[in-house]
Amino acid sequence: MANVVVVGAQWGDEGKGKIVDWLSERADVVVRFQGGHNAGHTLVIDKVTYKLSLLPSGIVRKGKLSVIGNGVVVDPWALLSEVERLTGQGVAVTPANLKVAENCALILPFHRELDAFREDASGAGQIGTTRRGIGPAYEDKVARRALRVADLADRNQVASRVDGLLAHHNPLRAGLGKPLIDRDALIAEILAVAPKILPFVCASWRVLDEARRAGKRILFEGAQGIMLDVDHGTYPYVTSSNTVSSQAAGGSGLGPNSLNYVLGITKAYTTRVGSGPFPTEQVNEIGKTLGERGHEFGTVTGRSRRCGWFDAVMVRQAMKIGGIDGIALTKLDVLDGFRELKVCVGYRLDGATLDHFPAGVNDQARVDPIYETFEGWPESTRGARSWADLPATAIKYIRRIEELIETPVTLLSTSPERDDTILVRDPFAA
């Protein structure tokens, strides 16, 4: 029984929600291992749409255990709001099916405020954060001053940690010309939410180890995408955590020997939210058409996504960095009806040809894509559930992508509906 890691292989928004939901039916445990409620996964089950940000996708399925791992930064108020919203949709969320790692760092109200202050002050240099406090919370975690989930059980520890946080944040706010944080009001707010969170809290690494030893299938669910990784992405236009598959081990408390198969989620074209380089972006009718057909709006932010052709150079790089065994290719149906399609197979920079995405932000912004052109297909691929249902030109497009990224297609998604999926290889049987 293999344990499977699912990661985005582009800039996020690749359709991980549907794929993770499809896989979660075969899993016993689903684990979120990084990020926070800046992530957005949309699931469509029996024509009911569920929008998740912090909760693992397995939460909507009965009999599955969902775990928020230690690599996640948790906004307790956002978590409770999401639980309440799902409860209103008839989904039971209890301490029996949701566990929160006791060593998660918390996102506090002033983290959200600082995120917004910085973005507003950056003007044209904005990174494009979701303003949910993710980055500032990770900063405090790394600086060893964070308030963690386990601290909520100790009133004195809460006060002590808050004092340490305010010794850093209040001078920072003063320098920005913003009002100082009210210590007593903040402590009262934290202590009020603590009893609602603590029933879900446990040593999640032990729960996961027991599940592994019992031979249960564990699905590790990543957020964002590899090209938003704080080390390997388009820095500084990245998220504040490691989004690569290896983080599934560190962010859950299980060793890397527990990670058996890595599935990379990849759109049949490319999108990006927020600022940063995007070599294949189409700021024209093609990009507009991709956005409209693909309903390219952020689950969390509602922002329109930038759209462009498939970038095989970037995705191949993600395959190698992420140790990806196979891809789930999503939104193939969005390409239906295009007379021709293009795929980036290299870059030109200052007269040289590159076969990788450079690390320097200025170089990333200046590369020109080298395209290979493909014949499109007039037929509809939407809802296809076998290779026989696909046009020959669509299959040719898919096979060429496999060659260019040096990774096989494991799953092919042809609509948001979970059953509109072509299975080539079962990752859990790897």
Side-chain angles (χ1 to χ4, degrees):
M1 295 291 185
N3 297 323
V4 177
V5 182
V6 175
V7 292
Q10 294 161 306
W11 280 300
D13 307 309
E14 300 96 348
K16 290 185 292 296
K18 170 194 167 172
I19 301 301
V20 170
D21 172 60
W22 193 88
L23 291 168
S24 69
E25 189 174 43
R26 295 156 176 77
D28 301 299
V29 184
V30 183
V31 187
R32 268 287 304 275
F33 59 83
Q34 49 77 219
H37 65 303
N38 55 338
H41 291 172
T42 300
L43 314 180
V44 180
I45 303 173
D46 296 329
K47 301 189 183 303
V48 178
T49 299
Y50 302 95
K51 293 184 180 294
L52 306 179
S53 294
L54 189 57
L55 292 170
S57 296
I59 199 70
V60 299
R61 301 218 160 266
K62 292 181 180 179
K64 311 296 181 182
L65 177 63
S66 292
V67 178
I68 296 176
N70 58 274
V72 177
V73 285
V74 175
D75 182 324
W77 298 276
L79 174 59
L80 292 174
S81 175
E82 192 170 336
V83 168
E84 182 179 354
R85 176 161 46 82
L86 282 183
T87 300
Q89 291 186 275
V91 178
V93 183
T94 71
N97 67 344
L98 175 65
K99 305 294 183 184
V100 179
E102 60 188 356
N103 47 343
C104 285
L106 292 173
I107 300 174
L108 300 175
F110 59 81
H111 289 129
R112 298 193 297 269
E113 294 171 351
L114 179 59
D115 209 352
F117 294 158
R118 286 173 169 170
E119 281 288 273
D120 290 340
S122 297
Q126 290 186 6
I127 290 174
T129 77
T130 57
R131 298 174 180 245
R132 280 159 171 72
I134 311 298
Y138 272 116
E139 289 177 38
D140 282 341
K141 174 181 176 177
V142 173
R144 296 167 292 185
R145 56 176 169 257
L147 182 72
R148 303 203 300 176
V149 170
D151 299 328
L152 295 176
D154 186 336
R155 176 183 296 263
N156 293 330
Q157 181 68 358
V158 168
S160 175
R161 301 305 290 176
V162 165
D163 286 340
L165 284 162
L166 298 195
H168 172 78
H169 282 273
N170 270 338
L172 185 59
R173 290 168 71 99
L176 292 169
K178 303 298 181 181
L180 303 186
I181 300 164
D182 184 324
R183 174 188 183 272
D184 293 340
L186 175 61
I187 291 174
E189 194 173 1
I190 294 168
L191 292 177
V193 79
K196 302 174 184 178
I197 296 294
L198 286 170
F200 298 99
V201 177
C202 70
S204 60
W205 65 270
R206 295 189 65 180
V207 173
L208 293 173
D209 182 63
E210 290 168 2
R212 181 184 66 83
R213 289 177 178 274
K216 294 185 176 180
R217 291 175 169 179
I218 304 174
L219 180 63
F220 299 88
E221 176 184 7
Q224 290 88 40
I226 288 177
M227 298 314 292
L228 290 174
D229 185 276
V230 70
D231 288 311
H232 300 287
T234 48
Y235 189 92
Y237 301 99
V238 293
T239 193
S240 299
S241 61
N242 287 112
T243 60
V244 291
S245 57
S246 55
Q247 178 61 18
S252 67
L254 283 178
N257 60 340
S258 299
L259 314 180
N260 305 120
Y261 190 91
V262 181
L263 181 68
I265 315 299
T266 309
K267 271 180 184 164
Y269 52 101
T270 309
T271 64
R272 176 164 201 166
V273 172
S275 305
F278 186 170
T280 64
E281 182 175 14
Q282 299 296 298
V283 189
N284 52 29
E285 195 62 30
I286 292 171
K288 181 181 178 182
T289 300
L290 289 170
E292 290 174 350
R293 290 185 183 177
H295 304 289
E296 296 296 353
F297 301 94
T299 301
V300 170
T301 64
R303 292 181 293 182
S304 297
R305 297 174 185 141
R306 300 155 62 191
C307 299
W309 296 122
F310 188 86
D311 190 336
V313 181
M314 182 184 74
V315 174
R316 182 173 63 242
Q317 191 161 319
M319 297 296 107
K320 298 179 184 299
I321 293 169
I324 293 173
D325 297 298
I327 67 166
L329 190 67
T330 66
K331 293 199 170 185
L332 180 70
D333 56 301
V334 174
L335 300 181
D336 294 350
F338 278 94
R339 294 180 61 184
E340 68 175 27
L341 305 170
K342 293 185 178 182
V343 172
C344 175
V345 297
Y347 303 127
R348 289 192 182 90
L349 179 64
D350 297 333
T353 300
L354 301 181
D355 63 357
H356 68 283
F357 206 29
V361 64
N362 291 329
D363 288 345
Q364 289 176 348
R366 294 191 304 115
V367 296
D368 289 322
I370 301 170
Y371 286 117
E372 190 171 307
T373 302
F374 297 81
E375 179 186 354
W377 52 90
E379 305 95 329
S380 173
T381 63
R382 187 176 179 85
R385 298 184 181 181
S386 74
W387 289 105
D389 296 331
L390 297 176
T393 46
I395 294 174
K396 183 178 179 181
Y397 180 78
I398 295 166
R399 294 305 186 203
R400 182 57 176 150
I401 284 177
E402 290 180 312
E403 292 175 356
L404 290 168
I405 67 174
E406 301 174 13
T407 309
V409 170
T410 296
L411 294 167
L412 181 65
S413 171
T414 57
S415 93
E417 294 293 336
R418 66 185 309 277
D419 290 332
D420 292 339
T421 305
I422 300 172
L423 175 65
V424 180
R425 180 183 182 185
D426 184 355
F428 284 115

